[in-house]
Amino acid sequence: MRTPVIAGNWKMNLLRDDAVALARDVASALDGSTGVEVVVCPVFTVLSSVAEAFAGGSVEVGGQNCYGVESGAFTGEISPQMLRDAGCAWTIIGHSERRQIFNESDALLNKKLHFALASGLKVMFCIGETLEERESGAMNDVLRRQVIEGLKGLDDTDFTRVVLAYEPVWAIGTGVTATPEQAEEAHAFTRELVAEAFGGTVAADLRIQYGGSVKPDNAAELLAKENVDGALVGGAALQADSFAAIVKAAR
Ligand code: 13P
């Protein structure tokens, strides 16, 4: 049995007062939730405040990105050590917005993944194809490259702290969700790739979240699929009631 992970990616939204208010509302809406891991990823500037708001409860806090070096002359970057210092247990790595807007390569993401794990963080590592790649029939090759290059060199112990997030780029922020069947197909294929490269046990235990326009009214049918082990939620995570409804759907 894989425990589902529901994570809220707040992206570049919310100033401190609103972020803390949302965290408090999420904490009270989820009071008593069991059987599901919940993570919230706010912007760097409010991490400590949000971590404080969740202190003593079961919700964990994560960064949305981090660099592959502990400290030094890397203007504008942040290290896993700094995320931990701000109260994070997790980080997202390889979100499609990082891959597309900031040109992050598979090799860079692999380096960041290794360093985040070595620094004691748990990682949600994102993969997913664009609409163009899907329509041209390149989806499987893209997923293969992202899995093989992105996860290169991880051992069985590393995998206990990695969650994959399948986020088809065409479904992010568009209101167009993958159908449960499309999600299941991509998740099953991804699990096969992991099995081929890293072994059947790692693949069977690995949790794969779906992300892309997850809402309270489509979460249950997505999460009911055999290979869908959670969700990475953008827009719907910015409201406590809709995020809590998605968490409840995962239980
Ligand atoms: P939306 O839920 O807003 O489509 O965003 C998904 C996402 O990118 C989560 O990381």
Side-chain angles (χ1 to χ4, degrees):
M1 253 324 262
R2 298 181 290 263
T3 305
V5 198
I6 305 294
N9 174 8
W10 292 0
K11 306 195 179 182
M12 199 177 75
N13 291 295
L14 303 177
L15 300 180
R16 187 180 317 276
D17 288 353
D18 290 336
V20 169
L22 176 58
R24 291 207 179 110
D25 289 348
V26 166
S28 59
L30 293 182
D31 203 22
S33 283
T34 52
V36 46
E37 273 179 61
V38 181
V39 186
V40 164
C41 302
V43 292
F44 298 138
T45 50
V46 304
L47 278 174
S48 305
S49 308
V50 167
E52 231 167 77
F54 284 122
S58 60
V59 176
E60 294 188 307
V61 175
Q64 298 173 12
N65 176 39
C66 62
Y67 198 53
V69 175
E70 182 170 350
S71 62
F74 302 99
T75 303
E77 287 298 326
I78 188 164
S79 71
Q81 287 72 18
M82 290 159 186
L83 292 183
R84 292 192 63 185
D85 191 43
C88 292
W90 290 86
T91 187
I92 297 170
I93 288 181
H95 192 279
S96 63
E97 287 148 19
R98 301 294 319 172
R99 292 177 185 265
Q100 293 202 306
I101 305 171
F102 302 103
N103 289 320
E104 295 194 355
S105 67
D106 293 303
L108 174 70
L109 296 174
N110 180 252
K111 179 182 170 187
K112 299 204 309 186
L113 172 60
H114 276 279
F115 192 67
L117 291 171
S119 306
L121 287 174
K122 297 179 272 192
V123 177
M124 288 175 272
F125 190 84
C126 305
I127 59 171
E129 82 288 356
T130 63
L131 185 60
E132 199 183 11
E133 288 163 344
R134 172 172 280 259
E135 287 180 342
S136 70
M139 170 178 140
N140 287 0
D141 288 343
V142 169
L143 294 180
R144 182 182 300 277
R145 192 201 73 229
Q146 290 176 341
V147 166
I148 301 303
E149 299 295 314
L151 306 182
K152 195 186 279 177
L154 293 192
D155 64 24
D156 292 13
T157 317
D158 294 328
F159 270 106
T160 62
R161 288 185 292 123
V162 173
V163 169
L164 282 190
Y166 169 65
E167 297 206 306
V169 179
W170 46 272
I172 294 178
T174 57
V176 181
T177 322
T179 64
E181 292 69 32
Q182 285 172 320
E184 174 60 17
E185 188 191 355
H187 283 227
F189 177 69
T190 300
R191 201 178 298 286
E192 257 174 56
L193 290 174
V194 173
E196 277 168 31
F198 302 99
T201 309
V202 162
D205 291 344
L206 181 67
R207 293 174 295 176
I208 308 177
Q209 299 167 304
Y210 168 79
S213 299
V214 176
K215 309 286 175 209
D217 62 359
N218 60 27
E221 54 177 7
L222 286 159
L223 291 161
K225 289 295 177 188
E226 190 186 335
N227 285 292
V228 178
D229 311 308
L232 183 51
V233 185
L238 293 172
Q239 274 167 351
D241 54 351
S242 57
F243 187 62
I246 294 168
V247 173
K248 286 194 182 103
R251 270 196 263 157

